[in-house]
Amino acid sequence: MMKMPLPSIDSVKVAVRVRPFSQREKNSGSKCIISMHSRTTTAIQDPKNPENVKTFTFDLAYWSHSGFLKDKDGVLISADPSSNFSGQRDVFRDVGRGILDNAWQGYNATLLAYGQTGSGKSYSMIGFSANKGIIPNVCEELFQSIENQARSQECQVTFSMLEIYNEQVRDLLSRTKKPGGLKVREDQQLGFYVDGLKSVPCESYAQIEKLMEQGTKIRTTASTNINASSSRSHMVITIQFKQVSLDRDLTKQSSINLVDLAGSERQKSSGSEGDRLREGSRVNLSLTSLGNVISALADAATGKKVWHIPYRDSILTKLLQSALGGNSKTTLIATISPADICYEETLSTLRYAERAKKIRNKAVVNTWELTRESRTENGTLRLECGNPRMAELPASLPAGNLCGARTPQTTWALQLELAREEWAQHFTAIAQEQQMMKTLPHLLNVNEDPQLTGVLKFFIHSGSCDAGQAASNTITLQGLGIADKHASFTNLDGRVTVTPCSKCRVAVNGVPITTKTRLQHLDRIILGSNSAYLYIGLPCERGSEDLSRFDYDFFQLERAAAEGVSVDKLGATNNGDGKADSIVLAVFQDYVKLMPLVAEANQMSEELRKGLKMELKVKNLASSDSRGYDLLKEVMVKVTNQRTQEVWIWSKAKFINRKFLMDELYQSFLDGGDSHVAHEVDPFWDPVEVVHLGSAHIWLQPLAYCMKSEEQVEFLNCDGLEEALLHIHLIPCSVTGQARDEEDVVIDPLELLGKRIDFQIRIVQCLGVKWLKEDVKRGIQIGYRIYDLSNTLYTKAVWKIVNPHLEETVHFAALNTSQDFLDYLQTNALIVDLWGLQEGCAELSSSPQDFRITNEGHIMVDTKAPCSITGAGQTTSNQVSELSQKLFRLEQETELLRNINRALKEENLVLKESLAKIGSGEQGHKSSGSLKIIGMAAQLPSPKEINPMYDQRASYDGELAKALKVFYQSMNKARGQFLRLRHQKLPCASGCSRKL
């Protein structure tokens, strides 16, 4: 008979833990943005706005970022008494022991680990090497406590382990995979449970430890087979703990659920805006649904009216129904990165944890009294087994298992007997494997998840052995790009070699090989797209090496180096402090991280016959802004349809989102599904779009001096290579569009301040467009935007012509030139973009309604100053017309006075020279010239009618202006050449290359 105690209403307990910098973050020059000033507060600083600091308060805050060292056993401990470092034992003391205490009292207990991939969830839950995590410590201490119990107390422990990936449940203790995964069913008493989940009776911590190793091995194999990263799956360990009090006929039951959630960034859709499939991935569904459940429960806890809690939206939330808002004592540990480059993800995690701590659960002690029949049965069983501590719960009692399965009704004694038989076989296999590891060379798998590295071992016996997907091979491998017979390994006369089969991809130490290659101890081998293995050589070759340094990142960095990808190639510059540019370093890390994903995507495209080829590019690798400074670089993926030659450019976020969907489609294909799906849901398909091909820079400085500029500049693509040549003119002109002549050149741009400036941009021709050479059915357009224009101007589209003549001229006018506009002309370049058109894509366009237009029909720039626009009243138009005429007359008079002033300066110099000379004739001649100047000023003639006597002297300034024109044009060309040269490498004497 079940007791109904009053529920204990408790909020979800929340702990936050910050880890040390990862090697990738160190390489990127990351800065720490997390601080913890007490055991309960966590502060995060916005790296873009350091004054913006957000503080959160939780039940516990663990600082594991710094202040630690390794002891002799390899355990991380505080470096000194003043350090506030929290190690694994500290976390277990607060969190793990709380779980055990609740379990002994008869409460259900749940621990959830939440955070972005690589933030330390698995480390906190499972641990690494000597630093055991919460799960092994909980299990070990549970059995230690059981050993100390009275003989009248019988404890029964069962262990189950499952994984949820892509809305499918996989039993990690079963070697047989059920198509479609195990089913989640609902029972009135049990709630949601997993039908057919294997639950293994355990008598010691050693058994649980082996079960976890077995589950991890199956998880590793499964993730390799379906090409699924463990960071995208949830792992749930459930320990059923029953306490049978033989003298009181009372039973307590607790379900301990330990959940390592998938990487939290998977539910974030920002960054993939514009992707028509960004909500399509079922990988995202479970965490999104979990977030919705937590938000709804948090709202309900604060008094808001909530009509529905969406538990049924995903497998995960169904199984966590008791843990969130139900019969469980629940703890959430949120793990975060300290790095500034993870600011958005870390802030999101902290906000998520803040919502979770508002949830209130109603936990009850799960107790039952045994019936008379059950007491009689227990006594019989004790006599039969010869063990007074052996007991059994009546089969009719509910399991109380959040993730438990309904199994055939068997006695506890029989379950233990069957488990012992399995254990005997399992321990024999483990002993054989350990012996072979000592004597035979073998391959160890290397996984992105450190918990899954070294789990799979493939032994190379004497003689020759084939490796591949076929079951007939000595070494059976799974993974993308692994052929039925992929490679042959030979172990003869103390030499181990590997030989690729046919055209199968094999790389040793990052370098692709095509012939027989001898292997050395600790060589790194990549088979297929991205199946990584560390070769452990013959016993005579081995030493006491630290294998942990050969992690997944080591393999990928080595692979990148072999392919010629380096920080230097991406344009990192030294900041003067001995450190490379942190932004470029971060781009390099992104590039290396995406390399294996792109290789996998290409392999899936090949196997599914999609015909796509994907390649990594760096946006703005060789691009600068209008002032010549480097633009922010970011990784992107160029996608080419090899059949149609259609091209797309995907952002990093869009590619990652599509990669999830590709994995799902590929998994469906492996399960017997059709790879050909409708375009609307096909991650390998997109409608054709306009592609950015490159940019050209034309410096605007000549316009600040009213000088014409005629340029032929290169369009540079994202790799810094020439995509095409642009022939362009910058032409100062009159209101009517007539080009200014040399006499209109100004010495000082300030002379144009407050005046009207008219100029034209004429795009003449585009030469040698590679985009058009690759496919004659394509087209191009050119676009640019100057100063304060809010929209881009585009030329007409030109199709199927490699050297298109555009001959498009646009007239611009600044009616009241400001100082800002003059500064802009002197210091900025016009950025002209070249766009590639494909058949079926929409052409780029700009409408006159997008711009402000003068009365003459010209596009207005520098519009901050008061000016006239089309549509103004007739009175305003007339007033502007009169002002324009007055302004024109004043300009003429000013020009005349300027010329007179120049002539007077010349006369003054001549008079000074005459003072040093003797001769009245010469002095009289100069006086005559002065009288002519006075007469000229009285008559106020036009500048062209100045006395011929001073033509030569007044023309000196004109000659200077011409010289300035030549000078600035030369500077303009020199800047363009410098921009190109800075992205080229010069050979060194030693054969290396260095960047300008």
Side-chain angles (χ1 to χ4, degrees):
M1 180 177 178
M2 182 177 177
K3 291 186 176 181
M4 297 298 294
L6 293 175
S8 171
I9 300 180
D10 296 298
S11 297
V12 171
K13 185 178 181 179
V14 177
V16 173
R17 189 180 191 187
V18 58
R19 62 161 172 76
F21 283 135
S22 67
Q23 190 59 48
R24 182 172 292 172
E25 289 164 348
K26 291 178 182 177
N27 294 342
S28 300
S30 298
K31 297 180 180 178
C32 181
I33 57 171
I34 299 296
S35 58
M36 294 178 175
H37 300 295
S38 72
R39 291 298 302 272
T40 58
T41 60
T42 302
I44 180 171
Q45 182 184 53
D46 186 346
K48 296 180 180 178
N49 182 13
E51 296 181 358
N52 182 16
V53 178
K54 296 180 174 63
T55 303
F56 298 84
T57 302
F58 300 105
D59 297 285
L60 294 164
Y62 296 111
W63 179 263
S64 302
H65 175 64
S66 60
F68 59 88
L69 51 80
K70 283 185 180 180
D71 66 7
K72 59 183 178 61
D73 298 320
V75 178
L76 300 182
I77 59 174
S78 295
D80 56 71
S82 63
S83 171
N84 58 352
F85 172 76
S86 295
Q88 296 284 66
R89 295 301 300 180
D90 299 309
V91 177
F92 170 72
R93 182 188 62 240
D94 298 332
V95 176
R97 286 220 173 93
I99 292 171
L100 285 174
D101 291 344
N102 290 328
W104 280 107
Q105 294 175 45
Y107 289 107
N108 294 331
T110 301
L111 173 63
L112 305 170
Y114 181 89
Q116 73 178 105
T117 300
S119 62
K121 296 188 305 299
S122 296
Y123 178 79
S124 295
M125 294 291 278
I126 305 295
F128 187 76
S129 187
N131 296 278
K132 293 182 179 179
I134 296 173
I135 293 176
N137 279 319
V138 163
C139 296
E140 185 174 22
E141 194 149 311
L142 174 64
F143 282 100
Q144 289 176 356
S145 301
I146 289 175
E147 291 296 322
N148 298 326
Q149 293 301 304
R151 295 179 63 85
S152 61
Q153 179 96 349
E154 171 60 34
C155 297
Q156 304 174 6
V157 177
T158 61
F159 181 90
S160 64
M161 189 174 180
L162 64 85
E163 179 182 51
I164 304 172
Y165 173 74
N166 199 23
E167 288 301 285
Q168 292 187 9
V169 178
R170 165 122 195 183
D171 188 347
L172 294 179
L173 299 184
S174 174
R175 296 187 182 278
T176 56
K177 178 187 176 185
K178 186 175 181 180
L182 301 179
K183 302 300 180 185
V184 175
R185 306 193 187 281
E186 187 175 14
D187 182 88
Q188 288 185 348
Q189 287 184 315
L190 293 176
F192 291 106
Y193 68 95
V194 180
D195 190 15
L197 181 67
K198 186 175 182 179
S199 188
V200 180
C202 296
E203 298 178 280
S204 67
Y205 167 66
Q207 292 177 343
I208 284 186
E209 195 172 33
K210 296 303 179 185
L211 284 173
M212 289 178 63
E213 290 179 5
Q214 177 185 335
T216 303
K217 186 172 183 178
I218 293 175
R219 189 184 188 196
T220 306
T221 305
S223 68
T224 303
N225 291 350
I226 65 174
N227 191 48
S229 169
S230 64
S231 65
R232 285 177 278 153
S233 65
H234 314 286
M235 185 186 70
V236 182
I237 289 176
T238 300
I239 300 169
Q240 288 296 328
F241 177 47
K242 298 178 183 179
Q243 306 168 65
V244 181
S245 181
L246 303 179
D247 53 355
R248 297 170 54 194
D249 297 326
L250 186 68
T251 296
K252 287 182 184 179
Q253 177 173 326
S254 174
S255 179
I256 304 172
N257 299 284
L258 308 166
V259 186
D260 188 357
L261 295 170
S264 61
E265 71 276 6
R266 302 307 177 210
Q267 73 180 107
K268 180 183 175 184
S269 62
S270 63
S272 59
E273 290 85 354
D275 187 0
R276 59 189 177 84
L277 297 178
R278 73 174 185 270
E279 299 298 338
S281 175
R282 288 190 293 170
V283 175
N284 297 336
L285 176 62
S286 57
L287 275 180
T288 302
S289 300
L290 180 61
N292 293 337
V293 167
I294 288 177
S295 295
L297 291 171
D299 289 343
T302 56
K304 294 181 181 179
K305 185 173 288 187
V306 177
W307 299 103
H308 172 65
I309 308 296
Y311 290 115
R312 297 177 180 272
D313 286 358
S314 73
I315 297 290
L316 178 68
T317 49
K318 286 178 181 178
L319 297 179
L320 292 181
Q321 183 170 0
S322 296
L324 298 171
N327 178 21
S328 177
K329 298 266 190 176
T330 300
T331 301
L332 172 73
I333 181 166
T335 56
I336 57 176
S337 162
D340 50 357
I341 58 176
C342 298
Y343 171 75
E344 296 293 339
E345 292 291 355
T346 300
L347 181 59
S348 174
T349 299
L350 292 173
R351 286 173 172 164
Y352 195 97
E354 189 175 42
R355 287 195 300 272
K357 74 178 184 180
K358 299 176 183 177
I359 298 174
R360 300 179 71 79
N361 286 354
K362 301 176 182 179
V364 298
V365 175
N366 304 302
T367 59
W368 290 268
E369 289 183 358
L370 297 182
T371 61
R372 181 180 301 174
E373 293 81 3
S374 298
R375 289 195 295 271
T376 302
E377 185 179 1
N378 279 343
T380 303
L381 287 171
R382 286 195 296 272
L383 292 175
E384 290 178 354
C385 298
N387 183 359
R389 292 176 60 86
M390 196 69 69
E392 181 216 354
L393 281 176
S396 59
L397 292 181
N401 183 7
L402 182 147
C403 298
R406 306 184 84 183
T407 56
Q409 298 174 0
T410 56
T411 66
W412 176 249
L414 181 57
Q415 292 180 44
L416 281 175
E417 189 63 31
L418 293 174
R420 289 188 186 114
E421 293 179 5
E422 288 190 16
W423 282 118
Q425 298 175 1
H426 185 62
F427 280 117
T428 300
I430 292 175
Q432 290 177 349
E433 183 180 86
Q434 290 176 343
Q435 182 61 32
M436 287 192 294
M437 288 177 65
K438 295 178 181 178
T439 58
L440 291 176
H442 55 277
L443 304 177
L444 292 178
N445 78 298
V446 177
N447 195 284
E448 184 179 11
D449 185 347
Q451 302 293 333
L452 306 186
T453 291
V455 173
L456 305 180
K457 304 170 185 70
F458 302 99
F459 296 96
I460 304 173
H461 296 270
S462 296
S464 178
C465 55
D466 294 332
Q469 294 217 32
S472 59
N473 292 315
T474 307
I475 299 176
T476 304
L477 302 173
Q478 301 292 335
L480 271 171
I482 302 291
D484 286 343
K485 185 179 179 181
H486 196 88
S488 292
F489 291 88
T490 59
N491 179 6
L492 294 173
D493 302 325
R495 291 165 53 97
V496 177
T497 61
V498 59
T499 307
C501 297
S502 186
K503 297 181 180 180
C504 296
R505 288 193 290 270
V506 177
V508 177
N509 300 334
V511 180
I513 64 170
T514 56
T515 58
K516 179 185 289 189
T517 302
R518 183 179 179 180
L519 296 177
Q520 304 289 340
H521 179 52
L522 299 182
D523 274 350
R524 283 76 60 200
I525 302 172
I526 296 179
L527 304 177
S529 298
N530 193 36
S531 297
Y533 302 94
L534 181 65
Y535 169 70
I536 305 299
L538 294 162
C540 60
E541 298 178 274
R542 303 177 196 175
S544 56
E545 302 91 355
D546 179 14
L547 302 186
S548 63
R549 72 186 185 95
F550 299 106
D551 58 7
Y552 184 81
D553 285 346
F554 187 98
F555 275 65
Q556 301 309 325
L557 286 169
E558 186 174 60
R559 188 180 190 178
E563 294 182 12
V565 179
S566 64
V567 174
D568 181 63
K569 181 181 177 181
L570 298 183
T573 57
N574 194 291
N575 294 325
D577 56 0
K579 297 181 180 179
D581 188 335
S582 61
I583 296 177
V584 177
L585 284 171
V587 172
F588 174 68
Q589 296 299 328
D590 280 344
Y591 194 101
V592 172
K593 182 179 179 180
L594 289 183
M595 280 181 62
L597 302 184
V598 170
E600 292 170 3
N602 280 326
Q603 184 63 38
M604 285 188 282
S605 172
E606 181 179 330
E607 293 187 26
L608 298 176
R609 298 182 180 179
K610 295 297 182 179
L612 295 188
K613 178 185 178 182
M614 284 157 260
E615 51 187 323
L616 280 172
K617 299 288 183 181
V618 178
K619 185 179 180 180
N620 300 326
L621 176 62
S623 301
S624 57
D625 62 14
S626 63
R627 296 175 66 89
Y629 297 110
D630 287 345
L631 290 173
L632 186 64
K633 297 173 175 60
E634 58 182 305
V635 178
M636 60 185 184
V637 178
K638 181 182 179 182
V639 184
T640 305
N641 187 315
Q642 294 178 299
R643 292 190 293 266
T644 65
Q645 296 303 309
E646 293 172 343
V647 176
W648 298 267
I649 300 296
W650 289 353
S651 67
K652 169 190 167 185
K654 181 174 180 177
F655 168 74
I656 291 175
N657 184 61
R658 288 300 179 91
K659 177 65 168 50
F660 296 156
L661 298 169
M662 292 174 188
D663 291 341
E664 291 178 14
L665 182 61
Y666 185 71
Q667 181 184 349
S668 174
F669 170 73
L670 293 179
D671 292 338
D674 191 356
S675 64
H676 298 286
V677 295
H679 282 329
E680 291 74 17
V681 294
D682 190 349
F684 291 92
W685 181 87
D686 254 350
V688 290
E689 59 187 24
V690 177
V691 178
H692 184 259
L693 303 178
S695 300
H697 286 59
I698 300 92
W699 292 96
L700 298 169
Q701 196 170 36
L703 291 178
Y705 295 87
C706 288
M707 292 190 298
K708 179 180 178 181
S709 175
E710 182 177 336
E711 298 290 338
Q712 185 166 295
V713 295
E714 296 174 335
F715 280 112
L716 299 179
N717 61 22
C718 64
D719 295 322
L721 303 176
E722 181 185 315
E723 179 67 30
L725 285 175
L726 172 67
H727 190 189
I728 186 172
H729 295 175
L730 303 180
I731 308 169
C733 63
S734 64
V735 175
T736 59
Q738 183 177 0
R740 298 285 187 184
D741 55 29
E742 295 178 356
E743 295 183 357
D744 296 311
V745 172
V746 298
I747 304 301
D748 187 350
L750 288 177
E751 297 177 26
L752 303 175
L753 185 62
K755 298 180 181 180
R756 172 166 178 159
I757 299 177
D758 287 83
F759 60 93
Q760 295 174 343
I761 296 178
R762 180 181 300 164
I763 295 178
V764 181
Q765 189 177 14
C766 203
L767 301 168
V769 184
K770 291 182 180 179
W771 171 260
L772 298 173
K773 291 179 181 178
E774 293 170 358
D775 188 346
V776 295
K777 294 181 293 185
R778 294 170 173 171
I780 63 156
Q781 278 185 276
I782 291 176
Y784 60 90
R785 187 169 61 187
I786 188 168
Y787 193 49
D788 56 358
L789 292 186
S790 57
N791 294 284
T792 302
L793 285 158
Y794 295 102
T795 64
K796 63 186 178 185
V798 180
W799 295 84
K800 305 177 183 178
I801 303 175
V802 176
N803 299 311
H805 280 271
L806 298 163
E807 291 294 346
E808 292 201 13
T809 303
V810 179
H811 190 131
F812 298 91
L815 300 187
N816 188 5
T817 304
S818 66
Q819 183 65 56
D820 286 344
F821 184 54
L822 289 175
D823 292 341
Y824 168 80
L825 292 178
Q826 294 180 83
T827 58
N828 286 258
L830 176 71
I831 299 179
V832 182
D833 292 308
L834 180 63
W835 297 91
L837 304 177
Q838 308 179 76
E839 279 190 311
C841 73
E843 296 179 359
L844 302 170
S845 62
S846 49
S847 172
Q849 286 76 20
D850 297 334
F851 308 99
R852 301 180 69 181
I853 307 298
T854 67
N855 293 324
E856 299 83 12
H858 309 322
I859 295 178
M860 288 171 40
V861 294
D862 196 16
T863 55
K864 296 178 182 179
C867 54
S868 167
I869 61 173
T870 300
Q874 186 63 38
T875 302
T876 304
S877 179
N878 292 337
Q879 289 176 347
V880 172
S881 178
E882 292 175 3
L883 288 172
S884 298
Q885 293 177 4
K886 292 180 180 179
L887 180 61
F888 180 74
R889 288 196 297 268
L890 287 172
E891 287 178 352
Q892 286 184 318
E893 293 175 3
T894 303
E895 185 67 23
L896 174 62
L897 291 172
R898 185 181 292 114
N899 285 316
I900 293 174
N901 183 52
R902 292 171 184 164
L904 288 172
K905 287 181 179 179
E906 292 292 332
E907 180 66 18
N908 187 40
L909 290 174
V910 173
L911 289 173
K912 285 182 178 180
E913 292 176 0
S914 67
L915 293 176
K917 296 181 179 180
I918 300 174
S920 58
E922 292 181 1
Q923 292 178 355
H925 175 72
K926 300 303 176 184
S927 299
S928 175
S930 299
L931 292 174
K932 289 181 181 180
I933 292 174
I934 296 171
M936 178 183 66
Q939 295 174 5
L940 285 176
S942 64
K944 293 181 180 180
E945 297 172 346
I946 298 176
N947 193 306
M949 178 180 177
Y950 299 100
D951 282 351
Q952 185 177 1
R953 296 171 183 172
S955 66
Y956 291 161
D957 287 331
E959 294 297 327
L960 176 61
K962 290 180 182 178
L964 283 172
K965 175 182 177 181
V966 174
F967 171 74
Y968 287 123
Q969 287 178 338
S970 300
M971 286 294 294
N972 185 24
K973 293 177 181 177
R975 288 190 183 191
Q977 292 173 355
F978 178 74
L979 285 173
R980 294 190 294 273
L981 287 172
R982 65 190 298 213
H983 299 289
Q984 296 178 2
K985 296 181 179 180
L986 299 178
C988 299
S990 60
C992 63
S993 64
R994 64 181 180 85
K995 195 165 185 181
L996 287 175

